[in-house]
Amino acid sequence: MQSLAHVPFLAHLGCEVSRFHGGESELSLNVHEELTNNWGTAHGGVTMTLLDAAMGHAARSPDEPGGTPRTGVVTIEMKTSFMRPGVGRLTVRGRVMDRTLTLSFCEASAFDEQGALVAHATGTFKHLKALTVGGRKVQRDGASD
């Protein structure tokens, strides 16, 4: 399943989206050597990226499978707690806890192949139709004026 918006960084990591509707998302990633720290486990930045992406996907998910996604989102703030090292294939589930017209309040949990909790995060996401970057307005699909 596609996230309906191409995120080059997630594609580069090899992230897969398997759920994207109803205020929920599920992403997964095989932790290969290039994504590890000096302990040989998932780098914390990789785990945080997955948690952020899962929450962001949940925030902009359509109400029904295959529906039109909500506006694009940007992360306003995020808090992460790590419980154990991430190894093998990580699965991250995100969900919207509450939503206003302009903000989504989300949480996500990352699990290892055995279903053990690796990390948990909460975050706030702002809904935007466009973003001004370097003096030009960029639409959520990457097109610019």
Side-chain angles (χ1 to χ4, degrees):
M1 171 184 280
Q2 295 286 326
S3 63
L4 303 182
H6 179 62
V7 181
F9 184 56
L10 294 179
H12 175 73
L13 294 177
C15 186
E16 302 168 17
V17 178
S18 57
R19 180 176 174 83
F20 179 61
H21 70 272
E24 296 182 351
S25 69
E26 183 173 292
L27 291 73
S28 55
L29 175 75
N30 290 317
V31 178
H32 48 84
E33 185 178 5
E34 294 83 3
L35 303 179
T36 62
N37 57 26
N38 61 327
W39 295 95
T41 64
H43 188 282
V46 171
T47 304
M48 288 183 75
T49 293
L50 292 172
L51 291 162
D52 179 57
M55 291 187 289
H57 274 70
R60 65 183 195 81
S61 68
D63 292 332
E64 300 297 327
T68 302
R70 298 174 189 278
T71 61
V73 296
V74 293
T75 309
I76 299 299
E77 63 82 28
M78 180 176 167
K79 182 213 184 280
T80 304
S81 298
F82 296 92
M83 283 67 168
R84 64 183 38 82
V87 294
R89 185 169 180 83
L90 298 181
T91 300
V92 183
R93 295 183 194 99
R95 76 175 189 94
V96 174
M97 297 183 299
D98 197 14
R99 180 181 281 138
T100 70
L101 289 175
T102 59
L103 298 172
S104 284
F105 303 90
C106 302
E107 69 176 350
S109 296
F111 302 92
D112 66 15
E113 292 175 329
Q114 287 71 45
L117 182 62
V118 171
H120 181 81
T122 57
T124 306
F125 296 80
K126 182 161 182 65
H127 292 266
L128 300 172
K129 293 181 181 173
L131 182 66
T132 301
V133 179
R136 61 186 171 89
K137 188 180 258 187
V138 179
Q139 303 301 316
R140 74 173 184 194
D141 62 2
S144 62
D145 294 343

